[in-house]
């Protein structure tokens, strides 16, 4: 349906068109979204735990985690509220390297990312490994600010950005695909921006 | 607490049935969806505009009307002069136009009677819109729930829903309105003339007969961050604070 009288000049340049998923628009800033207040997590109090169900597999404190091999990823990110931002530069620890340090192979097909504020989000384990995702510690070369999820946030750039849990403090491997915080509240279980999987009723 | 989102919320055409200017920069639009839906106070809809060449722009707008008010939904849209979608509504949209929308959406920033009270609402600018739906819902459904609304606007003339809110405040039935104007002196004894801070939030909590069950904060990102921090400073547990950020 064409909207009467709508002729926006805000079209993205055609050479970038192919990088913008359906229903998204290009954003230069970096908007913030979250369900509650911004937690201020001190690095002294920070830790990261790998769990299988309720059972802890390995835990790192801030210094130990920062000593793991670090990688850089520059990616386009896509928020479900319809903005896309190009070339966001992150640095952190690949999930592959976290698993290697723990000396394990992924034990189950599903994962819940857990956060300090009680937030959680589900991601299939295969979307976290083989170079696809990291726990990011730096954005544009600087510590991630609290409103963007610092000191550490998950980065799964190929899925809608709510899957990139802020203030992340652990990954929990689960037997089943268990919905997290937003997924229980109507957001999609997988969240592929290229298939516009925003809400639970989207195919 | 959770409301299951309606299982199907596909795009559909909705007809604009009424347009009313609320403030110099905010106008309300009433939409009648071709397939009516039931919403909860605090939810939003997504709007999609399509240009002749297929280009689409999509934005979210909170529903201002109470779930009890039939005949469509009210959206209150603030004009951002250099924006893409909001000036379209202010300059082009007319009664009788069909606009595509999808909803209701959102399963967290909602208040239902069963959530109970007291509730503390804190809104900045157009961030008052979903809170207005909650206030209206409470008025129509259950006046036993104590509600305090702290509403920050730049000036008196930019207080959206002003007459309706003051009318509800005057009833003294457990709804308390606190206005804070950031660029003008206060006009009513209970009001403030400064940005939201810890002391203001502590005084808002004291207006309620007991500690709030839930607090809802909505507005620009900067507003929500400052107000949520002030609430925490005033002793409201972070876990009781729900936020909705309008992005930039
Ligand atoms: C859940 C939710 C509920 C909301 N509810 C409401 C509501 O009830 N009422 C309401 O008024 N708003 C609401 N909003 C905000 C709304 O969705 C829009 O963001 C808002 O109307 C601005 O859209 P726009 O297209 O007019 O401006 P945009 O085009 O998105 O621009 C927004 C601002 O960013 C700048 N900008 C962005 N891109 C560019 C660019 N390429 N070039 C230049 N400048 C740029 C502009 O300065 C402009 O002022 C809500 C948002 C959310 C997420």
């Amino acid at each position: 349906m064409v909207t009467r009288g709508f002729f926006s000049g805000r079209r993205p340049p055609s050479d970038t068109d192919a990088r913008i998923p359906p229903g998204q628009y290009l954003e230069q800033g970096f908007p913030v979204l979250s369900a509650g207040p911004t937690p201020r997590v001190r690095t002294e109090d920070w830790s990261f735990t790998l769990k299988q169900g309720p059972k802890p597999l390995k835990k790192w404190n801030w210094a130990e985690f920062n000593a793991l091999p670090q990688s850089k990823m520059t990616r386009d990110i896509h928020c479900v509220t319809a903005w896309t931002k190009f070339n966001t530069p992150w640095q952190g620890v690949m999930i592959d390297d976290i698993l290697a340090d723990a000396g394990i192979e992924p034990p189950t097909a599903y994962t819940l990312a857990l956060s300090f504020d009680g937030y959680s989000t589900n991601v299939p384990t295969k979307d976290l490994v083989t170079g696809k995702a990291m726990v990011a510690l730096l954005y544009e070369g600087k510590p991630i600010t609290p409103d963007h999820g610092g000191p550490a946030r998950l980065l799964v750039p190929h899925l809608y950005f709510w899957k990139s849990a802020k203030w992340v403090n652990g990954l929990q491997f689960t037997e089943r695909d268990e919905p997290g915080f937003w997924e229980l509240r109507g957001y999609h279980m997988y969240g592929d921006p290229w298939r516009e999987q925003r809400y639970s009723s989207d195919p | 607490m959770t409301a299951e989102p309606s299982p199907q919320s596909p795009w559909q055409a909705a007809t604009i049935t009424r347009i009313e200017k609320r403030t110099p920069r905010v106008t309300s639009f009433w939409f009648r969806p071709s397939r009516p839906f039931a919403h909860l106070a605090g939810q939003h809809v997504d709007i999609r505009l399509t240009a002749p060449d297929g280009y689409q722009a999509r934005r979210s707008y909170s529903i201002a009307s109470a779930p009890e008010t039939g005949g469509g939904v009210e959206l209150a849209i603030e004009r951002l002069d250099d924006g893409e979608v909001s000036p379209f509504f202010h300059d082009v949209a007319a009664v009788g136009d069909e606009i595509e929308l999808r909803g209701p959406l959102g399963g967290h920033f909602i208040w239902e009677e069963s959530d109970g009270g007291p509730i503390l609402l804190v809104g900045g600018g157009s961030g008052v819109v979903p809170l207005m739906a909650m206030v209206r819902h409470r008025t129509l459904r259950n006046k036993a729930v104590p509600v305090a609304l702290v509403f920050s606007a730049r000036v008196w003339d930019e207080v959206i829903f002003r007459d309706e809110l003051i009318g509800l405040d005057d009833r003294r039935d457990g709804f308390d309105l606190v206005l804070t104007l950031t660029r003008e002196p206060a006009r009513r004894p209970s009001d403030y003339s400064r940005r939201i801070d810890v002391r203001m939030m502590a005084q808002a909590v004291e207006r309620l007969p007991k500690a709030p069950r839930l607090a809802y904060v909505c507005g620009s990102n900067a507003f929500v961050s400052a107000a949520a921090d002030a609430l925490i400073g005033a002793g409201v547990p972070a876990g009781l604070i729900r936020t909705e950020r309008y992005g930039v």
Side-chain angles (χ1 to χ4, degrees), chain A residues 1-4 6-8 10-11 23 25 32 34-38 40 181 185-186 196 198-199 201-202, chain B residues 1 5 7 46 49-53 55 58-59 82 84 88 92 97-98 102 105 108 221 229 232 243 245:
Chain A
M1 182 181 114
V2 173
T3 313
R4 183 189 70 80
F6 179 66
F7 311 96
S8 170
R10 199 64 79 66
R11 282 165 194 71
Y25 68 94
V32 175
S34 51
T38 300
R40 301 290 187 301
F181 180 92
R185 288 159 179 78
E196 263 207 284
R198 298 173 196 271
Y199 304 108
S201 59
D202 291 329
Chain B
M1 168 210 91
D46 280 2
L49 307 181
T50 305
D53 66 354
Y55 169 79
R58 163 184 187 143
R59 297 290 184 277
D82 49 0
E84 180 175 31
F88 165 84
V92 181
D97 280 353
E98 283 198 340
R102 180 182 189 190
L105 301 168
H108 177 60
N221 177 46
D229 287 349
I232 292 170
T243 61
R245 298 168 194 257

Side-chain angles (χ1 to χ4, degrees), chain B residues 120-199:
Chain B
L120 179 53
L121 310 176
V122 186
S126 57
V128 76
V129 175
L131 309 180
M132 193 66 201
M134 297 179 193
V135 168
R136 287 168 163 170
H137 180 47
R138 175 246 177 217
T139 303
L140 292 166
R141 265 313 278 234
N142 187 352
K143 293 200 204 60
V145 177
V147 175
L149 167 64
V150 182
F151 181 7
S152 174
R154 293 190 295 195
V155 296
W156 180 252
D157 283 339
E158 288 185 6
V159 176
I160 313 166
F161 310 117
R162 189 181 68 207
D163 293 346
E164 183 178 347
L165 286 170
I166 290 177
L168 292 172
D169 192 29
D170 286 344
R171 293 187 190 178
R172 303 283 78 211
D173 67 358
F175 169 72
D176 232 339
L177 173 68
V178 179
L179 298 174
T180 183
L181 305 178
T182 55
R183 296 190 192 173
E184 253 181 30
R187 300 236 182 149
R188 310 181 314 151
S190 56
D191 293 346
Y192 299 91
S193 170
R194 60 173 200 261
R195 286 167 171 247
I196 282 173
D197 55 26
V198 173
R199 204 157 57 88

